Amino acid sequence: MHTPTSAEPIPARLVNPLAATDRAQEIMRSAFRASPRPPSAGTRNSQAKLTERKVYAIRRAADLGASLSALAEAFDISERACRHIARRTSWAHLPEEAPAR
């Protein structure tokens, strides 16, 4: 086994092996922050089951205390998807309140 002498610098990957991983994760996160709305978000996604009006209805009903399982069944989506809509982690590109008509 080779033991470095004081003249040889210690490689950075041995000093902090997580630095490269942390940097890679930050790069990946910044890619998602740079774009305010993915091109396939919301109703632009061809597989979307919901419209913006339905999302606002789910949010409003969940805020008033409706059961997520009942909402999920009513809108034919999974309970998990309903929970993400109610917590505003999906369909996050929509403003908090529905626009006035």
Side-chain angles (χ1 to χ4, degrees):
M1 181 168 138
H2 174 69
T3 306
T5 63
S6 60
E8 294 179 47
I10 299 173
R13 64 179 169 34
L14 297 178
V15 174
N16 186 358
L18 296 178
T21 304
D22 293 342
R23 179 69 182 133
Q25 289 176 348
E26 183 58 32
I27 290 170
M28 291 300 295
R29 286 188 198 107
S30 68
F32 290 103
R33 279 190 226 119
S35 175
R37 180 177 180 182
S40 63
T43 55
R44 292 181 181 182
N45 184 339
S46 62
Q47 299 295 313
K49 288 185 171 185
L50 302 173
T51 62
E52 291 179 3
R53 291 183 71 191
K54 289 180 180 180
V55 170
Y56 284 120
I58 291 170
R59 286 180 178 179
R60 192 169 35 254
D63 289 345
L64 294 173
S67 161
L68 293 180
S69 58
L71 288 171
E73 189 175 326
F75 287 95
D76 193 30
I77 59 175
S78 70
E79 189 173 339
R80 182 178 185 181
C82 193
R83 181 174 56 251
H84 284 285
I85 291 169
R87 291 182 180 171
R88 277 97 168 144
T89 54
S90 67
W91 290 79
H93 63 278
L94 294 181
E96 187 64 30
E97 296 293 323
R101 292 190 177 242

